[in-house]
């Protein structure tokens, strides 16, 4: 039970519900601040503008997040203008919420000091090196993203103010122990139920329909019988894996090796050790000891404040020139055993020693022969595939009458499909890029198939296609006679469902009147064995209904109706309710959940109140 309870208490529903408003404020707020305002506005919130540039930035963020989440399926969503319009509206609403929260925070005179801003920036890991704030990295990152330091500080101030506002609401809610206990007892309660089934299929099999009923249903629901646009397609598939394997001979390997010796040269490496101390005075004392013959490794192990290297007797490892830190380079150590003077490194002083040198060396051909062969083989295979695509592309462009020229130059066979629509393509062509091209304006226009070959379409798995639409059917309402049998099934199911609901209501009425056995026998059903349901147990077909039912009174069961996944009707009999008996640990967990729920209600109420009392003008979101 504890595992189930822990899952519920830590559910994404509770956490997201609590955090989503404030997080969306912060994210969209950053975009708005960096971009800045403009007279070209998308909206005004209490007289303060939201520019179209801000909206576009927020929309692109939403779009990018959606693309990362959907992957290959994103293209289909992106082609839906209505959905993209809704996404843009969502982005604008987030910006409006941000503006309202900022304004409300200003009304409450919430602020953040310069010291708090500094601490917040210093705590950001992106600006740290070895766990400490790195001013050079800070300047480099701001410069890379073209962010002004003052603007960045101002944005951090806004984020801190918004965090204060969020905390003032989510942090002040509290729950009395009695409230938490009552909530826990209800949340953990168990209910004993039994169910009797009335099968839909049996009722549906007895239904009859008239021609008039079928025609009336068809006339009222013609939008449900629209056949989408369909195509027949000819295509040629190129698959790199099916091409003859490229070969590489020894002469090619030797030539490549000789022409690329720098790629097989192992750079000079030097082995260094170090001793780090806190002050220049300590460093100078160490320098004197070393000059007097003290052992470097022993001193490093005993006195170095850098614990990692000290545990290794001062050794910090082999390094090539390109990866050697500037502090070691500045020591200018050239001979084995040479020790540097004390060098200041941030707040410490370090003595470096050059322990050993491995000179530059060229790897022999026999050592790298296999890797060269693999690389050259891959390059040849890629070139072969690219050359094939080039030939196919030229043939498809120069001869738009068919794919015969493509077949001729490639040696590949043309394949043909049956009729299909956008949502049900043949498996061989089921790639978003291919389907989007097939149903694009290049291959289909208002007159049907354009008779044009596509260009080469590359897809994952080192495959590529050239396609042409050979036949086209426009979207149309399917004729009544063609869908008549389908409508008959739908109408019978509708009638059966209505009859089933009436039968269920009648059975419950008779059960409440005490005619249990007689009523169940007449309905051809009976109650099954006892089931125990609760909020923290795996859900069943009757959990939602059973947990909302009125508890039994004076030992008399109560009744309700539920439906399973096949729409069979389930008469639910609730026999017993047992309140939960939470442990101290469970009370603690559910107390946090209860408080989070209360806090989310406060947040939602705040947002609703701010919007209700604001003057919001939507001007141009396109």
């Amino acid at each position: 039970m504890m595992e189930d309870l822990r899952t519920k208490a830590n559910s994404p529903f509770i956490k997201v519900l609590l955090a989503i408003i404030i997080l969306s404020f912060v994210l969209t707020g950053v975009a708005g601040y960096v971009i800045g305002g403009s007279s070209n506005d998308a909206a005004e919130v209490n007289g303060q503008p939201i520019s179209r540039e801000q909206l576009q930035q927020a929309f692109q963020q939403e779009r990018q997040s959606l693309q990362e989440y959907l992957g290959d399926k994103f293209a289909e969503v992106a082609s839906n203008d209505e959905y993209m319009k809704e996404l843009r509206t969502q982005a604008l609403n987030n910006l409006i919420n941000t503006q309202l929260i900022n304004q409300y925070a200003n009304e409450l005179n919430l602020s953040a000091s310069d010291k708090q801003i500094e601490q917040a920036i210093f705590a950001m890991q992106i600006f740290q090196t070895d766990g400490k704030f790195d001013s050079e990295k800070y300047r480099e990152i701001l410069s890379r993203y073209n962010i002004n330091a003052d603007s960045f500080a101002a944005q951090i101030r806004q984020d801190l103010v918004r965090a204060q506002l969020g905390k003032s609401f989510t942090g002040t809610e509290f729950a009395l122990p009695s409230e938490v206990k009552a909530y826990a007892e209800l949340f953990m309660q168990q209910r004993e139920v039994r169910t009797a089934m009335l099968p839909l299929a049996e009722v549906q099999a007895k239904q009859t329909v008239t021609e008039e009923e079928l025609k009336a249903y068809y006339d009222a629901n013609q939008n449900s019988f629209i056949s989408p646009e369909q195509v027949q397609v000819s295509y040629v598939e190129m698959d790199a894996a099916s091409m003859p394997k490229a070969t590489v001979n020894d002469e090619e390997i030797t030539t490549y090796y000789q022409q690329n010796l720098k790629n097989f040269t192992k750079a000079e490496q030097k082995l260094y050790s170090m001793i780090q101390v806190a002050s220049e005075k300590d460093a100078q004392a160490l320098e004197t000891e070393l000059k007097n013959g003290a052992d470097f490794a022993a001193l490093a192990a005993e006195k170095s404040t850098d614990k990692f290297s000290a545990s290794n007797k001062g050794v910090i490892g082999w390094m090539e020139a390109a990866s050697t830190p500037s502090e070691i380079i500045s020591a200018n150590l050239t001979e084995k055993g040479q020790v540097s003077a004390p060098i200041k490194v941030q707040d410490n002083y370090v003595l470096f020693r050059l322990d050993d040198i491995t000179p530059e060396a060229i790897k022999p051909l026999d050592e790298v022969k296999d890797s060269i062969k693999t690389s050259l083989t891959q390059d040849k295979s890629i070139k072969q595939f690219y050359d094939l695509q080039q030939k196919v592309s030229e043939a498809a462009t120069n001869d738009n009458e068919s794919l015969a020229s493509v077949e001729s130059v490639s040696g590949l066979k043309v394949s043909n499909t049956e009729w299909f629509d956008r949502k049900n393509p043949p498996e061989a062509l089921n790639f978003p890029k291919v389907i989007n091209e097939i149903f694009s304006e290049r291959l289909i226009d208002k007159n049907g198939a354009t008779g044009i070959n596509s260009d080469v379409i590359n897809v994952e798995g080192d495959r590529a296609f050239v396609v042409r639409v050979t036949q086209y059917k426009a979207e149309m309402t399917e004729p009544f006679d063609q869908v008549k049998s389908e409508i008959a099934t739908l109408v019978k199911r509708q009638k059966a469902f209505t009859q089933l609901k009436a039968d269920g209501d009648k059975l419950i009425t008779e059960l409440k009147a005490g005619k249990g056995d007689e009523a169940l026998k007449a309905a051809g059903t009976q109650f099954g064995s006892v089931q125990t349901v609760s909020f923290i147990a795996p859900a069943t077909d009757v959990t939602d209904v059973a947990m909302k039912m009125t508890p039994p009174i004076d030992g008399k069961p109560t009744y309700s109706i539920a439906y399973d996944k096949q729409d069979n009707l389930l008469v639910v009999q609730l026999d017993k309710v047992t309140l939960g008996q939470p442990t101290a640990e469970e009370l603690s967990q559910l107390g946090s959940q209860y408080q989070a729920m209360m806090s989310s209600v406060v947040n939602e109420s705040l947002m609703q109140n701010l919007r209700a009392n604001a003057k919001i003008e939507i001007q141009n979101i396109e």
Side-chain angles (χ1 to χ4, degrees):
M1 179 178 290
M2 279 301 300
E3 286 303 315
D4 293 329
L5 183 60
R6 189 171 292 111
T7 300
K8 291 286 184 182
N10 292 315
S11 69
F13 171 77
I14 296 298
K15 293 183 177 179
V16 170
L17 193 61
L18 178 64
I20 191 168
I21 296 176
I22 295 175
L23 286 179
S24 66
F25 296 158
V26 173
L27 291 175
T28 55
V30 169
Y33 189 91
V34 172
I35 295 172
S38 169
S39 59
N40 188 15
D41 299 332
E44 275 193 5
V45 182
N46 293 325
Q48 293 187 2
I50 294 175
S51 71
R52 290 183 64 191
E53 287 78 8
Q54 285 176 271
L55 173 58
Q56 183 62 20
Q57 177 77 10
F59 169 69
Q60 290 299 336
Q61 288 178 345
E62 296 278 1
R63 196 175 188 276
Q64 180 66 27
S65 297
L66 186 65
Q67 184 172 3
E68 291 173 359
Y69 176 73
L70 294 178
D72 290 340
K73 297 180 180 179
F74 175 74
E76 182 177 343
V77 174
S79 66
N80 187 320
D81 293 338
E82 286 300 314
Y83 189 89
M84 287 296 104
K85 186 175 180 180
E86 289 179 12
L87 194 66
R88 185 178 292 273
T89 301
Q90 174 183 315
L92 180 60
N93 276 324
N94 286 341
L95 290 173
I96 290 171
N97 290 345
T98 301
Q99 193 80 281
L100 288 169
I101 284 293
N102 284 340
Q103 292 172 3
Y104 188 54
N106 291 334
E107 287 180 23
L108 297 179
N109 293 319
L110 297 177
S111 63
S113 68
D114 292 344
K115 185 65 176 177
Q116 288 174 306
I117 295 170
E118 179 183 289
Q119 290 173 345
I121 294 175
F122 280 19
M124 294 181 179
Q125 292 186 354
I126 192 173
F127 300 136
Q128 293 182 355
T129 300
D130 297 330
K132 293 183 179 180
F133 178 74
D134 187 331
S135 58
E136 288 187 11
K137 181 181 285 188
Y138 169 75
R139 286 191 291 270
E140 187 272 326
I141 291 175
L142 291 190
S143 175
R144 186 193 314 163
Y145 292 100
N146 196 28
I147 299 174
N148 178 271
D150 291 337
S151 297
F152 183 69
Q155 178 55 47
I156 297 299
R157 190 187 302 276
Q158 288 287 343
D159 291 345
L160 292 173
V161 167
R162 279 194 293 269
Q164 287 179 42
L165 178 60
K167 188 176 181 180
S168 68
F169 286 98
T170 61
T172 56
E173 292 301 310
F174 67 93
L176 296 172
S178 58
E179 291 179 334
V180 175
K181 186 173 185 295
Y183 171 73
E185 289 175 345
L186 289 173
F187 184 80
M188 298 177 62
Q189 68 175 277
Q190 295 181 329
R191 296 190 166 204
E192 293 181 3
V193 299
R194 293 188 295 157
T195 62
M197 178 189 290
L198 299 182
L200 177 65
E202 292 182 7
V203 181
Q204 184 172 336
K206 299 175 183 178
Q207 302 302 312
T208 60
V209 291
T210 66
E211 187 78 7
E212 290 74 18
E213 287 176 317
L214 297 179
K215 191 67 169 64
Y217 186 94
Y218 176 77
D219 292 340
N221 298 275
Q222 286 199 11
N223 287 339
S224 300
F225 302 107
I226 293 177
S227 174
E229 59 180 352
Q230 294 182 305
V231 294
Q232 286 185 335
V233 169
S234 295
Y235 67 93
V236 170
E237 178 182 1
M238 292 163 277
D239 187 350
S242 300
M243 296 184 67
K245 189 174 181 180
T247 59
V248 176
N249 57 43
D250 288 344
E251 182 180 350
E252 291 173 304
I253 294 173
T254 301
T255 299
Y256 182 87
Y257 173 77
Q258 292 172 345
Q259 292 177 349
N260 295 273
L261 283 176
K262 63 179 181 181
N263 296 334
F264 307 108
T265 300
K266 189 174 182 180
E268 178 186 67
Q269 290 186 319
K270 294 181 178 180
L271 180 65
Y272 293 100
S273 293
M274 62 175 277
I275 305 175
Q276 175 180 286
V277 290
S279 69
E280 185 176 13
K281 180 179 179 182
D282 291 340
Q284 290 172 344
L286 283 173
E287 184 179 24
T288 300
E289 288 188 62
L290 291 169
K291 287 180 178 179
N292 291 332
D295 182 67
F296 190 98
L299 287 177
E302 177 186 353
K303 297 186 177 182
S304 181
T305 59
D306 181 76
K307 301 302 180 184
F308 178 80
S309 59
S311 65
N312 198 32
K313 297 182 179 180
V315 175
I316 56 177
W318 290 94
M319 301 178 193
E320 296 179 4
S323 60
T324 304
S326 58
E327 293 86 355
I328 298 180
I329 293 175
S330 67
N332 196 28
L333 302 176
T334 57
E335 298 179 5
K336 289 194 290 185
Q338 186 179 358
V339 178
S340 73
I343 296 174
K344 188 174 183 181
V345 180
Q346 294 183 344
D347 297 329
N348 301 294
Y349 288 84
V350 181
L351 285 83
F352 295 103
R353 183 179 70 174
L354 176 57
D355 297 329
D356 202 354
I357 301 174
T358 299
E360 178 182 280
I362 298 176
K363 296 179 181 178
L365 175 59
D366 288 343
E367 186 178 324
V368 297
K369 184 176 182 179
D370 290 342
S371 65
I372 293 175
K373 183 176 182 179
T374 299
S375 177
L376 290 178
T377 302
Q378 289 175 346
D379 289 345
K380 274 193 173 183
S381 298
I382 292 171
K383 186 176 185 305
Q384 284 180 2
F385 193 45
Y386 177 77
D387 289 344
L388 173 64
Q389 291 184 47
Q390 286 291 99
K391 289 194 296 184
V392 166
S393 178
E394 291 172 5
T397 302
N398 295 332
D399 178 9
N400 262 315
E401 297 301 318
S402 70
L403 292 176
S405 294
V406 170
E407 191 175 47
S408 175
V409 302
S410 67
L412 300 170
K413 293 296 182 183
V414 174
S415 299
N416 300 288
T417 72
E418 299 296 330
W419 289 102
F420 68 91
D421 58 49
R422 179 186 285 271
K423 292 186 178 180
N424 299 284
E427 184 177 356
L429 296 177
N430 194 11
F431 300 92
K433 290 172 67 175
V434 175
I435 301 305
N436 287 339
E437 177 66 14
I438 288 172
F439 288 92
S440 70
E441 293 181 355
R442 261 180 49 80
L443 303 189
I444 298 172
D445 61 20
K446 62 182 180 180
N447 297 317
T450 60
I452 295 175
N453 297 328
S454 76
D455 200 352
V456 173
I457 309 164
N458 284 283
V459 299
E460 61 268 24
D462 290 332
R463 283 188 281 180
F465 294 84
V466 172
V467 299
R468 68 180 283 113
V469 176
T470 55
Q471 297 288 334
Y472 175 75
K473 290 181 184 177
E475 178 182 277
M476 61 176 289
T477 301
E478 297 175 283
F480 172 71
D481 289 339
Q482 188 172 321
V483 295
K484 186 176 178 179
S485 61
E486 179 185 344
I487 294 174
T489 300
L490 292 170
V491 174
K492 286 181 180 180
R493 189 175 182 86
Q494 274 189 356
K495 296 174 92 173
F497 195 82
T498 301
Q499 180 63 49
L500 197 66
K501 177 65 167 59
D503 292 345
D505 290 340
K506 178 184 176 183
L507 179 55
I508 286 179
T509 299
E510 293 176 337
L511 289 170
K512 289 179 178 178
K515 302 178 183 179
D517 293 339
E518 180 184 346
L520 290 167
K521 184 176 180 181
T525 188
Q526 62 182 355
F527 283 110
S529 58
V530 174
Q531 305 175 46
T532 301
V533 298
S534 73
F535 287 121
I536 60 178
T540 69
D541 291 327
V542 300
T543 296
D544 288 343
V545 170
M547 298 308 292
K548 295 175 183 175
M549 291 173 64
T550 303
I553 302 174
D554 298 329
K556 294 183 178 180
T558 57
Y559 300 92
S560 189
I561 287 175
Y563 295 90
D564 65 14
K565 294 178 178 61
Q566 289 74 43
D567 286 335
N568 298 310
L569 185 143
L570 305 173
V571 175
V572 184
Q573 176 177 298
L574 175 58
D575 295 320
K576 183 180 179 181
V577 175
T578 304
L579 291 177
Q581 300 294 321
T583 64
E585 183 181 357
E586 291 167 341
L587 281 173
S588 176
Q589 291 181 4
L590 288 171
S592 300
Q593 177 177 326
Y594 180 75
Q595 185 171 336
M597 291 170 63
M598 295 302 100
S599 296
S600 70
V601 171
V602 172
N603 272 314
E604 289 180 9
S605 298
L606 169 64
M607 200 67 257
Q608 290 173 4
N609 186 62
L610 290 176
R611 292 190 76 111
N613 291 283
K615 182 181 179 182
I616 301 172
E617 296 181 8
I618 308 299
Q619 298 171 355
N620 189 349
I621 69 171
E622 295 301 326

